[in-house]
Amino acid sequence: MKLSEEQKVGIEIASTGRSFVVVAGAGCGKSTLLRLIAERSPTKHFVYIVFNRKNRDEAKEKMPANVTVTTANSMAYHQTVPSQCRDKVQPDLSHHYIINATDPRLYKDVPYEEAVATGILAKTIINNFLRSTENKVSTVHLPESMKKSKARKVERAIEMARRYWSRASRFECDITHDVYMKLWFLARQEIACDAILYDEAQDASPIMISAIGRQECQKIIVGDPYQQLYAFLGAQDALEKMGIEEKVTLSQSFRYGTRIADLANKLIESAYGVTTNLKGWEEHGTVISENAGASGPETVIARTNGELVRMALDNRSDDFSLLIRSQEIKSIARSIYAINNGLEPDHPSLIGVESMKELMLLARSNESSGLMGWVSSYMKHGYGSMMELAEKCVDTYHGQSKTLYISGHRSKGLEFDNVELARDFPQPKSAEGKPNNRFNEDEVNLQYVAITRAIKHLNLGGNEFLSRLAGITWEDNQQQELFA
């Protein structure tokens, strides 16, 4: 195996026992580096903390025996949640559950819509507290827009959040994964090992930054600041927040060619004003275009699950797969159908929602959840079509269909021969609505992730901003030139 000079530097520093940061560009061999670091220190015990279960399962197959691979949630869950309480852990809790668990008189004391708004606010306060390093719920956990508000719902929502934490910390009610992560953090648990490998560190919670930072072992913190996708959930960049000065940069791609590397560099420079130096792999002559032009299976990457569902439902061919959990589509579809017909929904985040009006209020209050996209797909295509679509869902994809539909978030860490961008990626605009090079950092990062998934062919799907950066010119809406 031929290593880049950058990887060799990382291996050398790791052998000294010093802690350091690895700033790894997309497709630049970070997984290989971490595996080699562990292989070359067989007497050391490493704990490798990865982002999710899929990453964990893949890493377990590749890492040597001296590496314990885990997720942060799995580590905290087994150290914190008593076996008799594990049935209380839920993926999400609705605002109605929070109300009934903390302040059931709320519905009688105030008008229904105000009660719903108070419950939604209490849930937001709870989530902000659980993801923070503070040990008490306070006004600092209010949304920024509410911190100066004198509305009566604010004080009541804070008290509801305090009551929930009091009960949840004793496992007296249902809890989310964030609850046991908070308990694990407050217990100041030690991570028993000689060295920690912490991956996807650009999307670290404040809890994990603090918990790993206080460990006394060697720490190797790995990530890419331009692949941060979860800032809207309070994620922070541990590459900077950890305070480790020694850094190694991985900039040589082993996935895509010069064309995509140049486009990625231009995207980051245009949006952030920062010069990056991603280098494409010369053996990969990746093509960038504005048409299909690809041979073999194609992967369509969309910004949201709602757009994926829309595109899949509009696909007249039956030869496609959708990389979304089928149970998620079924549960959402069943619940919206139930709400629309005066029945009880069963999706965890929608339990207790009684009307479409309330559902729309909930969707608008939490735009980052993607709920609005699901509601729109349901209203356009109907219950039956969404349930049929669930049968096309897959957990993994190995080219078993002509087209794969996947979200940008889900595509992270994956690579595909042929990639097409969906049309729901936003174009940058100024406050006056005029095109320019400024837009939300989360949106920049998601487009960066999407374009760096391609190995052979990238279809920009009508994205004018990226086309302009790639040097593609147009006349009468027809492609005239490829970035070649």
Side-chain angles (χ1 to χ4, degrees), residues 259-436:
R259 295 172 178 86
I260 287 182
D262 288 347
L263 176 58
N265 287 331
K266 289 177 181 178
L267 173 62
I268 297 305
E269 183 176 7
S270 177
Y272 288 97
V274 174
T275 300
T276 52
N277 191 32
L278 283 177
K279 296 179 284 291
W281 196 15
E282 293 296 338
E283 295 180 24
H284 281 181
T286 313
V287 174
I288 299 179
S289 73
E290 274 290 350
N291 59 13
S295 59
E298 184 170 55
T299 298
V300 180
I301 300 179
R303 174 176 171 268
T304 62
N305 281 337
E307 177 67 6
L308 288 181
V309 170
R310 184 199 67 76
M311 294 179 72
L313 288 170
D314 288 346
N315 190 327
R316 296 184 179 182
S317 166
D318 194 47
D319 192 11
F320 69 87
S321 301
L322 188 63
L323 204 63
I324 300 177
R325 290 192 308 116
S326 61
Q327 187 54 42
E328 179 71 2
I329 292 182
K330 290 178 180 178
S331 179
I332 286 281
R334 280 198 311 266
S335 292
I336 298 176
Y337 175 87
I339 294 167
N340 202 32
N341 289 275
L343 305 172
E344 178 67 27
D346 65 0
H347 191 276
S349 63
L350 300 179
I351 290 174
V353 176
E354 296 183 351
S355 66
M356 291 300 291
K357 182 178 180 180
E358 182 182 348
L359 178 63
M360 294 303 292
L361 175 66
L362 178 62
R364 292 191 183 100
S365 71
N366 189 14
E367 294 180 2
S368 61
S369 70
L371 178 58
M372 185 63 78
W374 289 111
V375 175
S376 298
S377 294
Y378 177 91
M379 299 303 291
K380 179 178 179 180
H381 298 284
Y383 173 77
S385 294
M386 289 187 70
M387 294 300 281
E388 290 177 8
L389 183 63
E391 301 306 317
K392 304 292 291 185
C393 294
V394 295
D395 292 325
T396 57
Y397 179 74
H398 303 289
Q400 61 263 46
S401 59
K402 183 178 180 180
T403 303
L404 170 68
Y405 294 103
I406 185 173
S407 70
H409 290 82
R410 189 74 183 271
S411 73
K412 195 162 178 296
L414 303 177
E415 58 185 28
F416 309 96
D417 281 349
N418 307 304
V419 168
E420 175 185 347
L421 300 190
R423 294 178 182 266
D424 64 335
F425 288 96
Q427 302 293 313
K429 294 181 179 180
S430 67
E432 294 77 27
K434 298 179 181 179
N436 64 11

Side-chain angles (χ1 to χ4, degrees), residues 93-372:
L93 298 175
S94 71
H95 57 281
H96 281 283
Y97 182 87
I98 300 298
I99 292 171
N100 290 327
T102 63
D103 193 357
R105 285 191 53 84
L106 182 63
Y107 289 120
K108 298 179 181 179
D109 293 347
V110 299
Y112 183 77
E113 287 191 6
E114 183 178 343
V116 169
T118 304
I120 291 172
L121 178 58
K123 182 178 176 180
T124 300
I125 295 168
I126 291 166
N127 289 337
N128 289 344
F129 163 70
L130 293 175
R131 294 164 186 159
S132 74
T133 57
E134 286 86 21
N135 59 10
K136 293 181 180 180
V137 177
S138 71
T139 55
V140 302
H141 303 115
L142 283 164
E144 286 298 326
S145 61
M146 299 293 294
K147 286 186 176 178
K148 295 183 179 180
S149 174
K150 301 297 184 181
R152 63 179 179 179
K153 69 178 180 181
V154 171
E155 185 175 346
R156 192 156 188 171
I158 291 174
E159 183 56 32
M160 289 167 64
R162 287 171 176 155
R163 290 178 189 170
Y164 175 77
W165 173 240
S166 177
R167 295 193 63 198
S169 62
R170 297 193 295 266
F171 300 101
E172 294 176 354
C173 59
D174 286 351
I175 65 172
T176 62
H177 300 290
D178 285 339
V179 170
Y180 64 73
M181 283 298 305
K182 183 77 167 190
L183 290 170
W184 175 81
F185 168 75
L186 292 175
R188 302 185 68 84
Q189 297 279 7
E190 179 187 3
I191 302 175
C193 63
D194 299 308
I196 294 172
L197 308 174
Y198 186 39
D199 202 359
E200 302 294 347
Q202 75 282 344
D203 272 315
S205 69
I207 279 176
M208 286 305 295
I209 292 174
S210 180
I212 292 176
R214 67 192 180 203
Q215 305 298 318
E216 296 184 359
C217 61
Q218 181 186 25
K219 295 177 278 287
I220 302 174
I221 312 300
V222 188
D224 180 354
Y226 305 116
Q227 293 190 67
Q228 185 184 64
L229 300 182
Y230 296 97
F232 69 93
L233 293 178
Q236 298 178 358
D237 184 4
L239 302 169
E240 293 295 333
K241 294 284 186 178
M242 201 71 75
I244 298 173
E245 294 185 3
E246 191 161 16
K247 294 180 181 177
V248 172
T249 298
L250 301 183
S251 60
Q252 175 60 62
S253 168
F254 295 93
R255 175 185 300 153
Y256 45 80
T258 302
R259 295 172 178 86
I260 287 182
D262 288 347
L263 176 58
N265 287 331
K266 289 177 181 178
L267 173 62
I268 297 305
E269 183 176 7
S270 177
Y272 288 97
V274 174
T275 300
T276 52
N277 191 32
L278 283 177
K279 296 179 284 291
W281 196 15
E282 293 296 338
E283 295 180 24
H284 281 181
T286 313
V287 174
I288 299 179
S289 73
E290 274 290 350
N291 59 13
S295 59
E298 184 170 55
T299 298
V300 180
I301 300 179
R303 174 176 171 268
T304 62
N305 281 337
E307 177 67 6
L308 288 181
V309 170
R310 184 199 67 76
M311 294 179 72
L313 288 170
D314 288 346
N315 190 327
R316 296 184 179 182
S317 166
D318 194 47
D319 192 11
F320 69 87
S321 301
L322 188 63
L323 204 63
I324 300 177
R325 290 192 308 116
S326 61
Q327 187 54 42
E328 179 71 2
I329 292 182
K330 290 178 180 178
S331 179
I332 286 281
R334 280 198 311 266
S335 292
I336 298 176
Y337 175 87
I339 294 167
N340 202 32
N341 289 275
L343 305 172
E344 178 67 27
D346 65 0
H347 191 276
S349 63
L350 300 179
I351 290 174
V353 176
E354 296 183 351
S355 66
M356 291 300 291
K357 182 178 180 180
E358 182 182 348
L359 178 63
M360 294 303 292
L361 175 66
L362 178 62
R364 292 191 183 100
S365 71
N366 189 14
E367 294 180 2
S368 61
S369 70
L371 178 58
M372 185 63 78

